[in-house]
Amino acid sequence: MARRYDPGRRTRIIDAALSVIAADGIAGLSHRTVAAEADVPLGSTTYHFASLDELLVAALRRCNENFVQALRSSGLFAEEGDAGRDEGGAGRREEGAGKGVEGAGLAEELTRLLEGWFAGERGVIELEYELYLAALRRPALRPVAAEWTEEAVALLSRRTDPETARALVALMDGVCLQVLLTGGTFDAPYARVMLERIVAGGDA
């Protein structure tokens, strides 16, 4: 019997893997549980993803794409960011990068972005970080986890210098992990102050 043409099957399998991880954690992930969730034959999951690591890589990359899209549509990169990039890219901020009112504005916008994430469905953030931290034990995930950092740094470098952008990403990452691991709540005033210190070069 000819294989039925189903171009969206791979995407559905990835979506199903994310649903399984959200419900049962990575420990609950198997080709069988994903096939059941996606309502596809078991052979379809192994056809598209020969190993669980391949499936996890695809799932983490999907989370990366969702995060980058959220960052791009957050309002952080208005027309002035594009204009600045055209005039000289990230290097345009070599003098006085991230200082003064503009730096404070960037910190405020990033704080609002974090606040919006935590105001939404917390399970989504937990899912993303569970996949992200799985790279500790699964080397195949490490390059994809690194992509998240590099893509975020590249985007923020449109608003500040690359070194400051990397520090901002590290702080945001740390704040998210602290909130998730302790079961606490997001402290917007604290995050804003810390972000302002970074964009001001530690002088805030």
Side-chain angles (χ1 to χ4, degrees), residues 2-124:
R3 182 183 297 274
R4 183 168 65 88
Y5 180 62
D6 187 0
R9 181 167 292 189
R10 186 178 188 277
T11 297
R12 293 207 313 279
I13 291 171
I14 296 172
D15 291 340
L18 290 169
S19 295
V20 169
I21 296 169
D24 303 316
I26 289 176
L29 187 74
S30 70
H31 283 100
R32 191 172 299 279
T33 57
V34 171
E37 180 69 25
D39 193 23
V40 299
L42 177 60
S44 288
T45 62
T46 56
Y47 172 80
H48 288 285
F49 304 98
S51 69
L52 288 182
D53 273 356
E54 287 184 15
L55 186 51
L56 285 168
V57 163
L60 180 55
R61 184 160 281 127
R62 169 72 63 78
C63 288
N64 285 356
E65 291 168 356
N66 291 343
F67 167 80
V68 170
Q69 181 57 39
L71 199 57
R72 283 176 177 154
S73 61
S74 65
L76 282 164
F77 310 106
E79 293 180 2
E80 64 268 23
D82 292 328
R85 182 176 55 173
D86 293 341
E87 291 170 6
R92 65 187 164 76
R93 297 183 184 275
E94 291 179 358
E95 296 183 5
K99 303 293 184 180
V101 173
E102 187 171 2
L106 176 57
E108 176 65 31
E109 290 167 16
L110 289 173
T111 301
R112 283 202 301 269
L113 181 63
L114 289 172
E115 202 164 24
W117 289 343
F118 282 107
E121 176 55 55
R122 188 164 178 144
V124 173

Side-chain angles (χ1 to χ4, degrees), residues 64-65 67-68 71 146-156:
N64 285 356
E65 291 168 356
F67 167 80
V68 170
L71 199 57
E147 286 174 12
W148 178 90
T149 299
E150 295 308 317
E151 289 171 350
V153 168
L155 282 171
L156 287 178

